[in-house]
Amino acid sequence: MVATAKTVGDLFDLIERKPDLLVDADLTVERDGVAFTVRGYDDLVAVDLPSFGAALDLWRDGSVEGTDAAATLVAAGLTAEIRVRGAPVARLGADAVPSPLAKRLGLGPIQLFLDGALLALMPRRG
């Protein structure tokens, strides 16, 4: 269905109702011999890494700084969640609530999950 605007007010209403960018993805990415998954669930993109070492390597080698990445995600209406072994450790973008620790560490508008970090550090059973 195509909506048309008859007045400038109608046009602004159409623009405000426009949906944000939605992502539907299920990828396995390999970088420097380390495989990780990227899954998109509408406005959430989850990046699941196998270890904290892999997460730090990705962060350090990233071509975009965290604050720039966060601003880009906000502009697109997206949120990225970084997971280590399935446990959420950080979030940036539209739905992230910047944590005081991230601000103190100079990481920018990033939400850190300490409980997720502890869970990711726990040895796996079985």
Side-chain angles (χ1 to χ4, degrees):
M1 178 174 104
V2 176
T4 58
K6 295 180 182 173
T7 66
V8 173
D10 291 342
L11 180 61
F12 282 124
D13 287 342
L14 284 172
I15 291 169
E16 288 176 358
R17 287 194 311 262
K18 129 185 135 33
D20 290 326
L21 181 64
L22 300 177
V23 177
D24 182 18
D26 189 3
L27 305 170
T28 299
V29 179
E30 187 171 323
R31 185 170 186 263
D32 296 331
V34 176
F36 58 94
T37 61
V38 178
R39 289 195 172 87
Y41 310 95
D42 293 331
D43 62 347
L44 175 70
V45 178
V47 179
D48 197 352
L49 296 143
S51 68
F52 273 109
L56 289 173
D57 288 345
L58 187 64
W59 181 266
R60 276 191 230 123
D61 296 341
S63 59
V64 178
E65 287 192 32
T67 53
D68 293 340
T72 301
L73 288 165
V74 168
L78 295 174
T79 301
E81 186 171 270
I82 308 304
R83 300 174 181 172
V84 174
R85 295 178 34 209
V89 295
R91 183 178 281 181
L92 60 153
D95 291 334
V97 177
S99 61
L101 178 59
K103 290 178 185 176
R104 280 191 213 124
L105 293 173
L107 298 176
I110 295 173
Q111 183 176 5
L112 298 176
F113 299 105
L114 295 180
D115 52 347
L118 291 173
L119 189 61
L121 289 170
M122 299 283 294
R124 290 188 178 185
R125 293 184 182 185

